Amino acid sequence: MIEKKELLRTVKFALFSVSAGIIQIGTFTLLNELLHLPYWVSYLIALVLSVLWNFTLNRKFTFKSAANVPKAMLLVFAYYLVFTPTTTYLEHYLTDTVHWNEYLVTVMNMLLNFLTEFLYQRFVVFRNSLDTNEK
């Protein structure tokens, strides 16, 4: 029973992450192609919007947590205090120095984010509050 529940949790996280990825790529594309903002500005704005979307949906529907929202968001913020500067530097280096395609690098970072954020949210942010808001 637990294995089925965790598989379903992983699938839900993946689906919500895809929707957040669409928001991130869409926002990034608008800012990068239409407004011609610097790459890192486009990346950061798109990332913040996708994180807010993803956190909200996953807290409610994937992890079903009734935990203190500000505390949970603060823990997610802590994750992004490490993830964001690291990937912003990586994105800058790979796109501006090595001249990799911006979209390839963005997708690579999105995949890295998907894996590490799931593990962090499952085993750190919501570990003690899983399934506490079930009706």
Side-chain angles (χ1 to χ4, degrees):
M1 182 67 166
I2 292 174
E3 290 176 12
K4 182 179 178 183
K5 183 181 265 189
E6 288 303 316
L7 177 61
L8 183 58
R9 192 181 320 274
T10 304
V11 168
K12 284 181 188 178
F13 189 88
L15 292 174
F16 290 136
S17 293
V18 166
S19 70
I22 291 168
I23 289 169
Q24 185 171 347
I25 286 290
T27 302
F28 174 80
T29 300
L30 288 172
L31 299 174
N32 190 52
E33 300 295 335
L34 295 179
L35 298 179
H36 304 289
L37 294 178
Y39 180 79
W40 68 271
V41 173
S42 299
Y43 170 69
L44 287 176
I45 291 171
L47 180 65
V48 168
L49 292 177
S50 72
V51 167
L52 291 172
W53 173 265
N54 203 31
F55 172 81
T56 301
L57 292 176
N58 279 310
R59 184 190 68 77
K60 182 171 178 115
F61 299 109
T62 302
F63 299 109
K64 298 178 182 176
S65 174
N68 182 314
V69 174
K71 180 181 175 187
M73 186 52 114
L74 188 61
L75 287 170
V76 171
F77 180 71
Y79 166 85
Y80 279 99
L81 279 178
V82 174
F83 182 84
T84 303
T86 303
T87 57
T88 301
Y89 175 76
L90 179 64
E91 297 239 355
H92 169 70
Y93 175 75
L94 291 176
T95 59
D96 294 340
T97 304
V98 184
H99 303 292
W100 285 17
N101 180 275
E102 292 98 346
Y103 294 96
L104 171 66
V105 176
T106 298
V107 169
M108 286 173 31
N109 274 339
M110 290 170 71
L111 292 172
L112 177 64
N113 179 245
F114 168 76
L115 177 63
T116 58
E117 188 174 12
F118 175 78
L119 295 171
Y120 183 78
Q121 286 192 15
R122 169 62 180 86
F123 295 108
V124 177
V125 177
F126 299 116
R127 76 172 181 266
N128 294 323
S129 65
L130 291 173
D131 304 321
T132 56
N133 77 348
E134 288 185 303
K135 305 282 180 206

